[in-house]
Amino acid sequence: ADHTKNSLKLKEMKKLKIAYYCSNRTVFPPPGNVAAANQSVMVDIVAEMVKMGHQVTVYGSKGSKFEGVKIVDLGMVPHGSDGNYSWVGDLNCAYRVTYISQLIADSGNYDIIHMHTGRSIYGQAFERFSKCPVVHTLHNDLEDVFKPAMNTFYNSKLVSISNTQREPMPNLNYVATIYHGINIKKIPFSKKAQDKFVFIGRTVESKGVKVAVDLAVQQGFSLDIYGPETDFLKTNVLPYAIDNISYKGVAARFTQKWHKAFSTAKAMLFPIQWREPFGLVLIEAMAHGTPVIAYDLGSVREIIQDGKTGFICKPGDTRAMARAIKKIEEMPKKRYVEMRKECRAHVEKYFTRKI
């Protein structure tokens, strides 16, 4: 009932002039084969704001295009750099401060600015000069090293993407926790799966891809890996893979390959190694009906219902994860189909993009 009342209030509110900014690593919206979670989330928010009749402007790289949205590109193409080069951090910073400074200079044209810069400090440093309110959605973990700077801008209005995300800095000016949502209409549900498991995501150590492969080697279950061919994958993972492990490359979002990767898996493995504020891939998996087996780090417990939409294991406890995999493998067919239905229903209730 409350959700309905809030929806009616939003529909009745005056139409606003809203400006958005995220990053310049790629165009907006990002191509499906590019891992750009912040921008992907912003895509859904922008789409809903346009649908509600608001006047939306996005500050983004040259080549960006979104129906019903004005793009301010400053004539700058995406920098596209995401490697370990010494200058990448400086380049990211240079692009961001260039765009944010222009956005703030234009702030008199808007009713509100909504930033998705990952590290909110980029925008917070400029917002004191803004002629309209500014809100920042946080997309990164709040490491202690940023605490002095974050505390300097204690009046900044922050939106956390999970309650767990707030824990390192609980006294900042949080105005809400808003979980990510996805366009559920674009994701088909499947109550059937093949006899295999899947890992989908960035193939780096912090995502736990090596843990997933080690488990497949030890337990003998089939595992498909989807993600970019990183140096970590080539050096630390693939050389130890055996016949039951298949590397499938990148699956672009909302493609047939992407849907198949999720929907044909008995479960998705998520042996995360860091406090991820919100794992978008978790709700993508469950939307397809695929349960998730995950380590209890970051926002996992806020997203997965232990025993209903998957299993949550103690961080680093590979034996617990192996037992959870065995539970999925040995689960009676009727109960397993119920679990897949529960996954879908859980996303439909809590994690859609509908505002």
Side-chain angles (χ1 to χ4, degrees), residues 286 290-293 303-311 335 339 342-344 346:
M286 290 188 294
T290 306
V292 180
I293 301 172
I303 302 170
I304 300 170
Q305 292 181 303
D306 191 26
K308 293 188 70 176
T309 65
F311 296 102
R335 173 65 193 112
M339 177 173 273
E342 286 169 351
C343 287
R344 177 73 174 200
H346 185 55

Side-chain angles (χ1 to χ4, degrees), residues 30-34 186-188 200 226 248-263 284 288:
N33 61 347
V34 175
K186 292 177 67 175
I187 299 179
I200 300 179
Y226 290 86
K248 303 288 189 178
V250 174
R253 291 183 87 221
F254 300 111
T255 62
Q256 189 60 36
K257 181 179 179 180
W258 186 75
H259 292 309
K260 186 177 179 181
F262 285 114
S263 61
E284 291 172 341
H288 286 88

Side-chain angles (χ1 to χ4, degrees), residues 121 124-125 144-154 156 169 172:
I121 197 68
Q124 288 175 276
D144 285 344
V145 292
F146 290 97
K147 190 173 288 187
M150 295 288 285
N151 285 336
T152 299
F153 305 106
Y154 55 85
S156 293
M169 301 183 197
L172 298 178

Side-chain angles (χ1 to χ4, degrees), residues 68-80:
V69 172
K70 179 183 177 182
I71 303 292
V72 177
D73 63 29
L74 306 186
M76 297 171 68
V77 299
H79 58 69

Side-chain angles (χ1 to χ4, degrees), residues 157-217:
K157 296 177 176 62
L158 308 177
V159 174
S160 50
I161 56 177
S162 66
N163 294 321
T164 308
Q165 185 185 34
R166 300 183 180 194
E167 290 177 358
M169 301 183 197
N171 298 319
L172 298 178
N173 186 27
Y174 300 102
V175 295
T177 289
I178 302 177
Y179 295 130
H180 291 338
I182 53 177
N183 188 353
I184 196 75
K185 293 179 180 179
K186 292 177 67 175
I187 299 179
F189 167 72
S190 174
K191 65 180 182 180
K192 295 181 180 180
Q194 297 176 13
D195 190 20
K196 61 181 179 180
F197 293 78
V198 70
F199 172 93
I200 300 179
R202 288 188 296 118
T203 51
V204 294
E205 186 174 11
S206 62
K207 290 288 189 177
V209 61
K210 188 175 188 305
V211 176
V213 168
D214 288 347
L215 280 165
V217 171

